[in-house]
């Protein structure tokens, strides 16, 4: 038969492409395209070779099982070749497989074992007299790499088999993999260190197993499931695959609990559907199901074709990695101001779901991966994790594609974006005004330890923001009773109460006000130190990073957060508006407060005092005291107002000095000499 020139050219093209991708996958551990695309090309080549057998050369990519081993490890010859599996993608193809098996065995119904097809890498473990003597990768199926030293670091792999009737020689086969959690943790660690992340758990497992330094392998979360036996001392193994799996388990090897014995194509398909539904919930990734004829005598009758057994098949799940076009990169601002780049994609089906957006994690990731708008990208969606862009397919990059410029201003509020050294995420510094952060910011502003606005709960803040009644904390003070009582679940009385609480909150302290601003990493203690050091808000607002760093517990990161916050005109506007609305506090006389006359004192407040307890507490703390909620042997003294109860009794029992409200007021005015040493 004359072979059309076009077909010849296509076959040649497929050879070149498949060889290229084979090299990237097996030798460089750095695949460029998703597995499905490779599989599709390989399938096309197989089909063409079946149609035109003359085109099937001995060096065709269809004639090899994997890649030649890398030179860094010594070679291992597999006495029993490590084959691969043919794939099916539909119920029809599964029925065809079952029919071929039935015809080959001349029987009506076949018993299969259905197992998850783990997405890791195949391994061969050789045990002699129960002892693990060698571990090897599959390599090209006949020659693999000796990775014994690395495999010995994997906790799930027994170094010695235990139990009854352990064979003198047994070569166990299975899959080394990394769980989803392990993978996420490993990549998070890589990102933190600014190192290259792994594209998927399989890559991570392969890369980890083939490291030259096994002490690094030991830190990787590798594990293993066993699913087959290569060579074995005669007469030990049971007569079916399912029984052998039990035997392996009894010798201390790890075998999945997911496998099931099923009947015929129907049984296989039912199992497939059930596991597909649970796929995302499994703790590890699987890319399909493997069906194996259960009886070994039947397996033997069926035998092998060139690359794979006739008695087993892999039924592939929808792929979890696909290519698509990157239409745009948007920057999303989270509730706490963190910026996340999001890829807008040409819609693509990944793992059975249409994906239009995917995360690009952070600035470094975009730069490291050099992802550009207009690129063909690989998108991955696995488990419950949000879809992510794994990489760009560089060979498909269009001319003129430009590097992505990370924004220096917040896309929501135009405030400056800051990125602290060592932190992966950049953040918006417009805390008081940024619409993305509004709700969280106002909730924090109103909270008990900040402005303490009683009756302004989280739900109400959300409602007020959603209905555009308030845009920033400053708008709270212009809320009218009419506006409030019109809100859902808000009666006249609660509206009155809230107006009262807002009025009351206007009288505050400098540390509380600083804390209420919600500057990143400025907690109560830092707010107090700042107030004591500078004495007034104006001084803080104009302080340089250097001056800020002079404050105890303010390091360079916090100083920069404060400085950038202060520099945002929007933030200043909100502060001015708050002050204009009547929010006020007493500035602190720095010369007095710096002395910390109550340092080291542990004070308890109880009973009714002539000022709100929280205010007394703030003031005592600003003088250096620790204010505790309960009396113990460590308590220095107790201030007891009217109607004090059990705390007063306990203080008296323990012989701790007790003072009244009058003395407290005097102490707060600066007469610390009244407090005992
Ligand atoms: S049996 C002769 N069972 O899939 C049959 N393989 O393409 C040998 N795999 O190289 C394989 N889970 O790495 C088998 N439960 C399972 C499997 C499994 C994953 C991998 C294995 C193999 C490839 C076949």
């Amino acid at each position: 038969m004359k072979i059309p020139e076009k077909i010849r050219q296509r076959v040649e093209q497929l050879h070149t492409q498949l060889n290229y991708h084979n090299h990237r996958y097996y030798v460089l551990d750095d695949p460029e395209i998703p597995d499905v695309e490779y599989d599709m090309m390989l399938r096309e080549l197989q089909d063409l070779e079946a149609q035109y057998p003359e085109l099937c050369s001995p060096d065709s990519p269809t004639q090899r099982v994997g890649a030649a081993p890398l030179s860094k490890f010594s070679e291992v010859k597999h006495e029993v070749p490590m084959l691969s599996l043919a794939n099916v993608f539909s119920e029809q193809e599964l029925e065809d497989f079952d029919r071929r098996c039935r015809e080959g065995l001349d029987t009506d119904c076949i018993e299969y074992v259905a197992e998850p097809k783990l997405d890791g890498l195949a391994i061969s473990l050789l045990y002699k007299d129960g002892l693990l003597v060698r571990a090897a990768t599959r390599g090209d199926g006949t020659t693999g790499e000796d990775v014994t030293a690395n495999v010995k670091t994997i906790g799930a792999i027994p170094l010695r088999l235990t139990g009854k009737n352990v064979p003198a020689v047994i070569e166990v086969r299975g899959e080394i993999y990394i769980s989803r959690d392990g993978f996420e943790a490993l990549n998070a660690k890589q990102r933190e260190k600014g190192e290259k992340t792994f594209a998927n758990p399989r890559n991570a497992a392969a890369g980890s197993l083939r490291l030259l330094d096994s002490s690094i392998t030991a830190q990787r979360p590798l594990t293993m499931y066993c699913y087959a036996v290569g060579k074995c001392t005669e007469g030990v193994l049971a007569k079916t695959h399912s029984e052998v799996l039990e035997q392996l388990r009894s010798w201390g090897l790890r075998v999945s609990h997911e496998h099931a014995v099923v009947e015929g194509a129907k049984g296989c398909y039912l199992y497939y559907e059930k596991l597909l539904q649970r796929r995302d919930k499994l703790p590890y990734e699987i890319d399909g199901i493997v069906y194996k004829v259960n009886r070994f005598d039947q397996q033997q009758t069926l035998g092998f074709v060139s690359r794979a057994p006739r008695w087993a098949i892999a039924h592939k799940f929808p792929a979890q990695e696909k290519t698509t076009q990157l239409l745009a990169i948007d920057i999303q601002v989270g509730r706490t101001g963190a910026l996340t780049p999001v890829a807008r994609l040409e819609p693509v089906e990944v793992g059975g779901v249409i994906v239009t957006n995917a995360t690009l994690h952070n600035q470094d990731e975009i730069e490291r991966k050099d992802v550009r708008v207009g690129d063909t990208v690989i998108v991955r969606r696995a488990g419950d994790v949000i879809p992510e862009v794994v990489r760009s397919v560089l060979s498909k990059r269009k001319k003129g594609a430009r590097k992505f410029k990370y924004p220096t201003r917040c896309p929501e509020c135009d405030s400056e974006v800051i990125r602290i050294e060592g932190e992966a995420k950049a953040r918006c510094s417009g805390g008081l005004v940024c619409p993305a952060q509004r709700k969280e910011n106002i909730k924090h502003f109103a909270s008990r330890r900040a402005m303490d606005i009683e009756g302004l709960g989280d739900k109400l803040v959300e409602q007020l923001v959603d209905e555009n009644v308030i845009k920033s904390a400053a708008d709270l003070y212009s809320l009218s009773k009419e506006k409030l009582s019109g809100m859902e679940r808000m009666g006249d009385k609660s509206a009155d109460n809230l107006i009262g609480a807002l009025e009351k909150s206007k009288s505050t302290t400098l540390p509380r006000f600083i804390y209420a601003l919600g500057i990143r990493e400025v907690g109560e203690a830092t707010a107090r130190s700042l107030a004591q050091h500078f004495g007034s808000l104006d001084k803080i607002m104009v302080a340089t990073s250097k001056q800020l760093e002079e404050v105890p517990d303010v390091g360079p990161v916090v100083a920069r957060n404060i400085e950038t916050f202060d520099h945002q005109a929007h933030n200043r506007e909100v502060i001015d508006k708050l002050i204009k609305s009547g929010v006020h506090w007493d500035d602190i006389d720095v010369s007095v407060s710096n002395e910390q006359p109550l340092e080291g004192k542990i004070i308890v407040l109880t009973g009714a005092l002539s000022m709100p307890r929280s205010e007394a507490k703030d003031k005592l703390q600003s003088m250096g005291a620790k204010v505790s909620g309960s009396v113990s042997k460590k308590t220095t003294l107790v201030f007891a107002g009217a109607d004090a109860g059990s705390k007063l009794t306990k203080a008296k029992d323990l012989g701790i000095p007790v003072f009244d409200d009058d003395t407290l007021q005097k102490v707060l005015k600066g007469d610390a000499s009244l407090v005992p040493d």
Side-chain angles (χ1 to χ4, degrees):
M1 184 174 35
K2 177 104 177 59
I3 302 169
E5 191 47 34
K6 251 177 136 172
I7 300 284
R8 247 183 224 289
Q9 275 171 8
R10 179 63 188 152
V11 166
E12 214 168 283
Q13 199 179 30
L14 286 167
H15 275 208
T16 317
Q17 287 180 357
L18 286 164
N19 282 335
Y20 169 77
H21 291 300
N22 237 333
H23 180 78
R24 290 203 60 140
Y25 183 103
Y26 286 106
V27 180
L28 304 179
D29 281 334
D30 189 24
E32 191 189 75
I33 55 167
D35 287 1
V36 251
E37 288 197 15
Y38 179 89
D39 289 348
M40 262 156 46
M41 283 197 273
L42 191 66
R43 241 188 178 206
E44 188 188 342
L45 184 59
Q46 281 168 335
D47 289 348
L48 289 173
E49 286 176 355
Q51 236 176 312
Y52 306 100
E54 277 167 66
L55 289 177
C56 180
S57 56
D59 66 344
S60 164
T62 59
Q63 301 306 299
R64 65 146 97 229
V65 182
L70 279 178
S71 53
K72 58 185 180 185
F73 295 103
S74 56
E75 287 188 358
V76 169
K77 284 251 174 291
H78 299 299
E79 275 178 49
V80 181
M82 288 181 82
L83 299 176
S84 79
L85 295 168
N87 294 325
V88 295
F89 293 91
S90 66
E91 190 175 5
Q92 180 59 54
E93 288 179 326
L94 164 63
E95 279 168 9
D96 293 344
F97 161 75
D98 176 52
R99 185 180 30 76
R100 286 194 304 271
C101 287
R102 279 187 284 112
E103 284 169 5
L105 295 170
D106 198 17
T107 176
D108 286 343
C109 187
I110 297 173
E111 194 174 84
Y112 296 98
V113 175
E115 301 171 358
K117 185 171 186 299
L118 294 148
D119 207 3
L121 77 153
I123 192 83
S124 142
L125 305 174
L126 182 63
Y127 287 92
K128 283 194 175 153
D129 296 322
L131 207 66
L132 175 66
V133 291
R134 194 199 68 199
T137 63
R138 185 173 74 172
D140 65 2
T142 28
T143 313
E145 298 156 332
D146 187 326
V147 286
T148 314
N150 288 349
V151 161
K152 280 185 171 173
T153 69
I154 303 173
I157 296 177
L159 299 184
R160 179 181 283 282
L161 299 180
T162 51
K164 283 188 204 142
N165 301 328
V166 171
V169 175
I170 182 168
E171 186 217 341
V172 182
R173 291 172 179 184
E175 198 85 348
I176 287 189
Y177 68 93
I178 290 184
S179 70
R180 287 185 206 280
D181 286 354
F183 171 69
E184 291 302 325
L186 176 58
N187 262 0
K189 229 193 258 157
Q190 295 290 105
R191 253 178 229 125
E192 232 167 70
K193 288 194 285 187
E195 281 174 24
K196 206 179 132 201
T197 50
F198 294 98
N200 52 45
R202 193 206 42 237
N203 266 186
S208 301
L209 192 70
R210 295 160 86 201
L211 286 165
L212 275 181
D213 181 349
S214 60
S215 68
I216 304 178
T217 308
Q219 293 161 24
R220 301 281 169 86
L222 294 166
T223 184
M224 177 195 185
Y225 272 137
C226 302
Y227 52 62
V229 174
K231 67 171 183 177
C232 185
T233 312
E234 280 208 25
V236 189
L237 290 182
K239 302 229 171 326
T240 62
H241 178 61
S242 56
E243 288 168 300
V244 166
L245 290 179
E246 290 312 321
Q247 280 183 306
L248 295 179
R249 208 201 304 276
S250 78
W251 293 327
L253 290 154
R254 199 157 177 265
V255 176
S256 159
H257 286 275
E258 291 291 347
H259 69 265
V261 178
V262 297
E263 278 195 5
K266 273 223 158 56
C268 290
Y269 197 67
L270 258 157
Y271 178 96
Y272 171 90
E273 283 193 313
K274 267 198 193 148
L275 211 61
L276 179 56
Q277 278 199 344
R278 288 180 43 231
R279 178 192 200 181
D280 287 350
K281 307 236 158 29
L282 294 176
Y284 42 79
E285 289 206 350
I286 64 174
D287 58 349
I289 308 293
V290 183
Y291 311 117
K292 297 171 183 169
V293 169
N294 197 16
R295 275 170 50 183
F296 288 136
D297 60 334
Q298 291 184 329
Q299 287 188 4
Q300 212 160 8
T301 312
L302 287 166
F304 297 84
V305 279
S306 64
R307 289 177 91 214
R310 281 203 189 86
W311 45 264
I313 201 100
H315 191 172
K316 295 298 268 286
F317 281 157
Q320 291 185 313
E321 286 181 16
K322 286 280 184 68
T323 54
T324 189
Q325 298 310 115
L326 175 60
L327 304 176
I329 298 176
D330 287 349
I331 303 289
Q332 255 174 17
V333 187
R335 292 179 315 151
T336 57
L339 267 54
T340 304
V342 177
R344 306 289 178 212
L345 306 166
E346 183 68 44
V348 61
E349 180 273 329
V350 190
V353 170
I354 303 290
V355 172
T356 47
N357 302 317
T359 182
L360 278 159
H361 297 286
N362 56 47
Q363 185 175 0
D364 285 353
E365 285 270 302
I366 299 187
E367 275 164 23
R368 208 169 18 243
K369 292 175 179 169
D370 188 19
V371 173
R372 304 185 188 189
V373 174
D375 276 357
T376 298
V377 291
I378 298 178
V379 182
R380 186 178 135 78
R381 190 196 74 88
D384 300 330
V385 181
I386 14 174
E388 63 168 355
V389 171
V390 178
R391 67 185 307 151
S392 284
V393 181
L394 293 184
S395 55
K396 292 190 186 164
R397 173 166 289 165
K398 293 192 194 84
K399 268 206 187 111
R402 292 229 199 104
K403 270 198 186 261
F404 181 71
K405 274 215 185 80
Y406 214 76
T408 52
R409 306 205 77 89
C410 171
E412 296 278 343
C413 72
D414 201 40
S415 293
E416 212 175 319
V417 162
I418 47 170
R419 177 144 175 237
I420 301 293
E421 219 182 284
E423 275 189 22
K425 291 227 160 157
R427 288 176 187 276
C428 160
S429 58
L432 285 185
V433 282
C434 183
Q437 301 173 68
R438 229 169 245 170
K439 287 184 182 170
E440 290 314 299
N441 189 276
I442 301 173
K443 284 180 199 170
H444 171 78
F445 183 84
S447 64
R448 210 167 52 81
R449 308 172 85 92
M451 297 299 280
D452 192 20
I453 307 173
E454 219 174 298
L456 185 62
D458 289 359
K459 281 255 149 54
L460 185 57
V461 171
E462 280 173 24
Q463 223 182 320
L464 289 166
V465 173
D466 287 341
E467 293 179 24
N468 250 328
V469 181
I470 54 171
K471 286 204 170 67
S472 77
D475 296 338
L476 286 169
Y477 293 101
S478 36
L479 282 172
S480 64
K481 188 185 155 193
E482 290 69 46
K483 190 99 225 174
L484 278 173
S485 48
M487 307 293 297
E488 214 178 301
R489 286 190 302 268
M490 206 5 120
D492 261 8
K493 180 128 183 37
S494 346
D496 263 339
N497 288 345
L498 183 53
I499 297 282
L502 279 161
E503 208 44 47
K504 196 171 138 208
S505 73
K506 285 182 183 171
S507 167
T508 186
T509 64
L510 180 56
R512 273 177 178 268
F513 188 75
I514 297 169
Y515 173 62
L517 294 176
I519 306 169
R520 206 171 147 67
E521 286 178 61
V522 176
E524 283 179 286
T526 309
R528 238 186 341 263
S529 308
L530 285 164
Q532 262 153 34
H533 185 90
F534 290 100
S536 78
L537 186 67
D538 292 342
K539 290 209 180 105
I540 299 174
M541 296 295 282
V542 296
T544 60
S545 276
K546 229 174 153 187
Q547 290 167 327
L548 288 161
E549 278 183 56
E550 284 167 17
V551 178
D553 53 79
V554 173
V557 170
V558 179
R560 200 164 149 223
N561 284 340
I562 301 170
E563 197 186 28
T564 323
F565 177 93
D566 293 344
H567 283 171
Q568 308 311 307
H570 297 315
N571 289 342
R572 280 165 176 264
E573 278 163 28
V574 175
I575 293 174
D576 287 345
K577 197 166 165 195
L578 283 164
I579 295 171
K580 278 207 187 92
S581 313
V583 173
H584 65 277
W585 58 85
D586 287 338
D587 282 346
I588 296 168
D589 184 345
V590 182
S591 58
V592 174
S593 60
N594 262 352
E595 280 174 16
Q596 302 262 311
L598 300 182
E599 201 177 327
K601 307 275 188 283
I602 302 176
I603 296 175
V604 174
L605 300 171
T606 182
L609 304 168
S610 57
M611 63 164 52
R613 192 175 294 179
S614 55
E615 200 177 311
K617 182 177 170 185
D618 282 343
K619 288 194 172 161
L620 288 168
Q621 281 174 333
S622 72
M623 294 169 84
K626 237 180 110 180
V627 179
S628 161
S630 58
V631 176
S632 75
K633 273 191 284 186
K634 290 191 187 147
T635 309
T636 319
L637 79 154
V638 173
F639 287 114
D643 304 322
S646 63
K647 285 183 199 168
L648 177 60
T649 322
K650 190 162 180 198
K652 282 183 178 159
D653 286 351
L654 292 171
I656 290 164
V658 177
F659 294 90
D660 61 5
D661 183 45
D662 274 355
T663 320
L664 170 64
Q665 299 313 319
K666 281 183 198 148
V667 170
L668 292 182
K669 289 215 171 80
D671 193 352
S673 64
L674 294 163
V675 175
D677 277 339

